[in-house]
Structures are given as structure tokens and as C-alpha cells.
Amino acid sequence: RYTVLNLLMISRCAMDAKTMENVLSIYNASPSYKAKAAGFKNMQEIVDITGRNVMTLRNWSDYQPRLYDTILLGCKYSRTLNVDIVASFKDNIDKYDYSPSKQAVSVGFDSFAEVARISNKCSMTLRLWAKEQKQLYLILLLGCMKQKVMAKQ
């Protein structure tokens, strides 16, 4: 039986992990350029997936680049992954609706602190997102998981 982490590791995406890593390493690139390099037509697609406005995404890109890159990865892989993988991921999160810590562990992280470390976001904000902005939180978890996978490769 595959865990979510195993499924993410074996999934085939249009852009391989090394190429995506190269895109994200372009620190001076605009958020729009990074989005286009990751395969999106424009920033509006990321706005539609995350539910956040363009200005928020631009601010994240300027002031919290690691968070923006994680969100971009999550958007990319939520779009390209097998629907069953994303559904499995979402089911694990829904199962532990009351506990972000258990959600993180259930999808393959060592702890909730690991999610905070990878995303560079404080745990209080992540807990708030887990309760009130589930779609954004799901995207963030997917992005963190993909970064974890890329670090292992």
C-alpha cells in the first residue's frame, strides 16, 4: 500500500523536480515569471487555485519567497498529480479536521513543525489556515511535500 509520500515520489509530471528547482532558484525573477516558468499562463491561475489575491501573492514573492515558492509548487502539483493522489491527500487532511498536527503526520511529515520549517510560516498562521482556509492549506501541504521529496532526490 502506497503512502501519499510514495505516490508523490513516483508520480510523473510534465516538469521534473530538477527543472522546477531551477525555476524556484531564480531569486530575482518576478512572481509572474516564476508562475509562467512553472507552466501557468499567468498569475490569475494561481489566484484561482489559492483563493488569494494577486497583491498577496506578489508580497509573498517579495517578502516571503520560500512561502511563495512552496505555494507555487503546491499549485503546480495539485494540477498535474493524479486526481486520486490529491483526493487521498485531502481525505487524510479531512479525517483529522480538528488537529493540524495530526493532519501533517497523516500525510507523511515527521511533525507539524516540519511543515512550518519548510514553508517558513509560523505555526499559528498555519493552524489558522488549516481551520479557515482549507484549500490554501492543502496547496501549501502539497508544496511542502514536494519540497521534501525534491530534497530526498
Side-chain angles (χ1 to χ4, degrees):
R1 188 168 168 225
Y2 290 112
T3 65
V4 173
L5 180 59
N6 295 106
L7 291 170
L8 278 170
M9 289 180 82
I10 63 173
S11 67
R12 299 283 182 240
C13 297
M15 183 183 292
D16 67 355
K18 194 65 177 167
T19 306
M20 190 66 184
E21 197 171 5
N22 290 340
V23 167
L24 297 180
S25 68
I26 306 169
Y27 294 111
N28 295 329
S30 70
S32 297
Y33 178 82
K34 283 185 175 184
K36 287 176 184 174
F40 295 98
K41 291 179 185 168
N42 53 39
M43 289 286 289
Q44 188 59 45
E45 285 189 73
I46 298 171
V47 168
D48 294 341
I49 293 170
T50 63
R52 291 299 181 130
N53 65 41
V54 173
M55 197 49 147
T56 298
L57 295 171
R58 287 186 190 286
N59 286 339
W60 284 348
S61 178
D62 292 343
Y63 303 111
Q64 298 179 36
R66 210 158 90 197
L67 174 65
Y68 178 76
D69 292 348
T70 302
I71 293 292
L72 189 60
L73 267 175
C75 290
K76 168 79 178 157
Y77 290 103
S78 72
R79 232 177 45 167
T80 59
L81 286 175
N82 181 314
V83 175
D84 294 336
I85 297 172
V86 176
S88 170
F89 210 84
K90 189 172 181 334
D91 288 346
N92 279 335
I93 291 170
D94 289 344
K95 187 192 310 183
Y96 298 107
D97 189 38
Y98 56 90
S99 174
S101 298
K102 288 184 180 178
Q103 289 172 340
V105 171
S106 76
V107 296
F109 292 101
D110 298 330
S111 66
F112 186 67
E114 184 180 16
V115 175
R117 181 185 53 75
I118 292 171
S119 67
N120 201 32
K121 202 70 180 156
C122 75
S123 59
M124 288 301 292
T125 299
L126 294 177
R127 289 182 191 284
L128 182 67
W129 287 1
K131 298 279 185 215
E132 297 177 5
Q133 299 177 15
K134 292 181 191 259
Q135 179 64 21
L136 180 62
Y137 184 65
L138 173 67
I139 295 298
L140 180 82
L141 283 179
L142 280 169
C144 288
M145 185 59 69
K146 195 59 186 178
Q147 282 190 345
K148 182 177 178 173
V149 169
M150 285 172 23
K152 288 184 177 184
Q153 295 175 343

